[in-house]
Amino acid sequence: MLGKRARLLAAVRGFFATRSVLEVETPLLGATGVTDRSIESLRTAGDGTLPVRYLQTSPEYAMKRLLADGSGDIYQVCKAFRDGEAGRRHNPEFTLLEWYRVGWDHHRLMGEVDALLKELLGAAVLEPRSERVTYAEAFHAGVGLSPDAGSAELSAALASAGVAEPGETDRAGLLDLVFATCVQPKLGSGRLTFVFDYPADQAALAKTRDGVAGRFEVFFDGLELANGFHELTDAVEQRSRFENDNLARTAKGLRTVAPDESLLAALEHGLPDCAGVAVGLDRVLMCASRLVDIADTLAFP
């Protein structure tokens, strides 16, 4: 497994070397965490002398600061950290590949993600032809509903699937839960399935247009491998999303997280139009090795 991981990392670096994409490094320890209500950062205690610091859930914010400073196309292979995520498909410390293409949108980036994953996984694992479907198409195929369905319909879908509904969940939370438990397991059967045009309230850091987000995810045998955006470049809109995230965190009884002012300053300075994506390399290694537990890919799970 150590050998397989080393060959995978070499293949990743070779892929980007032939495309003249620059490898960069950014800090793992940062002054801020993420406001996303579904992701928790690991943090230091802080003691009045040393400030609280956060292990980064992805290198996205720092890489966007490099892009705003004129780096051009960049990629990074690094460790990322998330609190409260452990199981067959999650490890609190994991290996992430993230890259950005200046002047690209998410549709063009999907093509490059497809090429990379096919190279890493190989014909023995994947069917040669990938699939692209909208979120609405995938949702309807999975549960026979539109993503615009009301809370009662979404709750009924969960009940039909035998999924327990958590208390105090808003409609957006129900929609996400239905997708994760009833739709996602059916995606990517033997091949890569790209799902795009996510609902605007699931845009995260992606641009929105005509009521949908410029966002995509990639699935193989029901496992999410990648999450990509046509990146939001508007600092005012990004600040508003951070504020809304914190309102949602408060409603869930979670600690609020200060917005990353350095990222917002970079957006104000001018982030070039670009698309970016994060790929979980441990999960790719799981698929390439036909394993079902992420621990089996790690030297120190």
Side-chain angles (χ1 to χ4, degrees):
M1 187 53 63
L2 291 174
K4 286 183 177 181
R5 181 176 288 271
R7 289 189 291 275
L8 181 138
L9 293 173
V12 166
R13 290 188 164 93
F15 182 89
F16 289 110
T18 62
R19 289 161 172 77
S20 299
V21 180
L22 180 69
E23 183 173 9
V24 297
E25 290 184 328
T26 58
L28 295 181
L29 199 62
T32 59
V34 292
T35 59
D36 189 323
R37 62 179 176 175
S38 63
I39 299 175
E40 288 299 321
S41 303
L42 288 161
R43 62 200 294 271
T44 64
D47 63 1
T49 303
L50 296 173
V52 172
R53 289 289 181 260
Y54 297 81
L55 285 168
Q56 298 301 286
T57 59
S58 96
E60 180 170 5
Y61 293 179
M63 292 181 77
K64 285 182 174 176
R65 291 168 62 184
L66 295 180
L67 288 160
D69 207 34
S71 66
D73 297 334
I74 53 175
Y75 82 96
Q76 181 168 189
V77 176
C78 66
K79 292 294 185 181
F81 305 83
R82 296 186 184 182
D83 196 9
E85 294 193 6
R88 235 175 12 94
R89 296 180 169 188
H90 297 87
N91 198 67
E93 176 184 328
F94 57 99
T95 302
L96 196 66
L97 162 65
E98 188 149 334
W99 80 93
Y100 293 85
R101 287 295 213 158
V102 176
W104 289 27
D105 66 7
H106 57 300
H107 291 287
R108 185 176 179 186
L109 186 58
M110 280 192 271
E112 189 164 60
V113 174
D114 189 45
L116 174 64
L117 290 178
K118 283 179 177 173
E119 182 173 321
L120 297 181
L121 293 174
V125 174
L126 283 179
E127 291 182 14
R129 188 172 183 179
S130 301
E131 174 186 33
R132 294 191 188 187
V133 296
T134 67
Y135 184 98
E137 290 168 340
F139 205 85
H140 187 269
V143 293
L145 294 174
S146 163
D148 296 326
S151 296
E153 291 176 288
L154 296 173
S155 293
L158 290 172
S160 295
V163 178
E165 184 180 325
E168 303 296 322
T169 303
D170 58 17
R171 201 202 75 87
L174 285 175
L175 183 71
D176 196 39
L177 184 59
V178 171
F179 186 87
T181 58
C182 303
V183 178
Q184 180 177 324
K186 303 172 185 177
L187 297 173
S189 180
R191 63 179 172 179
L192 298 174
T193 295
F194 289 76
V195 178
F196 63 99
D197 282 357
Y198 274 64
D201 60 6
Q202 295 186 26
L205 279 75
K207 292 182 177 181
T208 59
R209 181 178 179 181
D210 299 328
V212 296
R215 176 186 175 189
F216 69 90
E217 290 187 297
V218 186
F219 301 91
F220 175 71
D221 283 347
L223 180 65
E224 178 205 338
L225 298 182
N227 186 18
F229 304 144
H230 190 184
E231 301 294 345
L232 180 65
T233 58
D234 185 331
V236 174
E237 170 63 19
Q238 187 61 74
R239 184 179 292 279
S240 176
R241 291 189 193 179
F242 284 157
E243 291 170 352
N244 288 334
D245 284 347
N246 272 322
L247 289 174
R249 292 180 71 84
T250 298
K252 289 182 67 176
L254 301 174
R255 178 190 291 115
T256 58
V257 180
D260 190 322
E261 294 294 342
S262 295
L263 170 65
L264 294 170
L267 297 183
E268 289 172 0
H269 175 73
L271 179 71
D273 186 48
C274 62
V277 64
V279 176
L281 290 182
D282 305 308
R283 290 186 175 186
V284 173
L285 193 54
M286 278 176 64
C287 295
S289 305
R290 300 184 181 276
L291 297 171
V292 297
D293 194 323
I294 199 168
D296 293 331
T297 74
L298 304 172
F300 300 96

